[in-house]
Amino acid sequence: MAKKKKKFDFKDNLPEEEILWRDRKRTIFGLPWSFTVYEVTPERFIKRKGLFVTETDEIMLYRVLDIKMIRTLGQKLNGVGTIVLYSADQSSHTERIVSVKHPDKVRRFLSSQVEKIRNEKGLTGREMFGTAGTDMDHSECDHTDE
């Protein structure tokens, strides 16, 4: 009698990551009526977007180079804001976290998570410098090529 092959189950082999923060893109009056979800785990930022076709984008937090917050007047009135992540990621150098509640708290949280994971991995800013200027327009530089 032949042995049955055991079906591979991803649940057995991959531990579930803890979600540290989750929110949705907010639309009219700051209400979460959209199909865009943002999540932060201890090592990743994840954006899931779409209803019928879902697109998932992921950035490793240690690859984040800079974080910026933008708040328009309308966003201020609705208690939301947009956070922009600049990263060394090949697929998305810029990731926008659009219209989330408490944007300043989220920005500070992301910044602390980025520093924490970099310290755990033993990375410093020097490892990331070579990736930051890949799309740089050298006409704006002060140096001359000799």
Side-chain angles (χ1 to χ4, degrees):
M1 179 175 237
K3 282 187 173 181
K4 281 188 174 182
K5 288 186 179 180
K6 185 178 178 186
K7 192 175 183 180
F8 183 75
D9 188 9
F10 287 104
K11 294 177 187 173
D12 293 339
N13 297 323
L14 299 174
E16 196 67 31
E17 279 192 292
E18 174 188 8
I19 297 172
L20 302 176
W21 174 79
R22 176 186 280 158
D23 201 357
R24 288 184 174 273
K25 176 182 174 183
R26 310 243 167 200
T27 56
I28 302 168
F29 304 117
L31 298 172
W33 293 341
S34 75
F35 298 102
T36 303
V37 177
Y38 308 109
E39 295 177 346
V40 174
T41 68
E43 294 188 0
R44 296 173 174 79
F45 166 77
I46 302 164
K47 177 173 104 174
R48 289 187 180 85
K49 178 178 162 183
L51 174 62
F52 295 113
V53 176
T54 303
E55 180 180 315
T56 301
D57 195 11
E58 180 177 298
I59 296 176
M60 301 300 286
L61 289 178
Y62 75 88
R63 300 196 76 155
V64 173
L65 301 172
D66 197 16
I67 301 172
K68 175 180 176 180
M69 183 178 72
I70 303 167
R71 293 186 77 193
T72 64
L73 178 60
Q75 286 180 322
K76 288 178 186 179
L77 293 173
N78 290 310
V80 297
T82 297
I83 300 165
V84 184
L85 301 178
Y86 298 97
S87 74
D89 191 66
Q90 293 298 316
S91 63
S92 57
H93 295 287
T94 305
E95 190 65 61
R96 298 174 68 84
I97 307 171
V98 181
S99 296
V100 292
K101 280 191 123 181
H102 311 293
D104 195 47
K105 288 181 181 179
V106 174
R107 180 190 55 79
R108 287 182 295 181
F109 166 73
L110 283 168
S111 184
S112 68
Q113 283 301 117
V114 167
E115 288 302 315
K116 180 180 174 184
I117 194 70
R118 279 191 187 167
N119 288 338
E120 286 175 6
K121 291 190 176 288
L123 296 172
T124 61
R126 289 187 299 257
E127 280 86 6
M128 307 305 277
F129 285 152
T131 61
T134 55
D135 296 330
M136 187 174 175
D137 179 13
H138 287 283
S139 64
E140 299 175 3
C141 294
D142 293 334
H143 72 275
T144 56
D145 294 330
E146 295 178 16

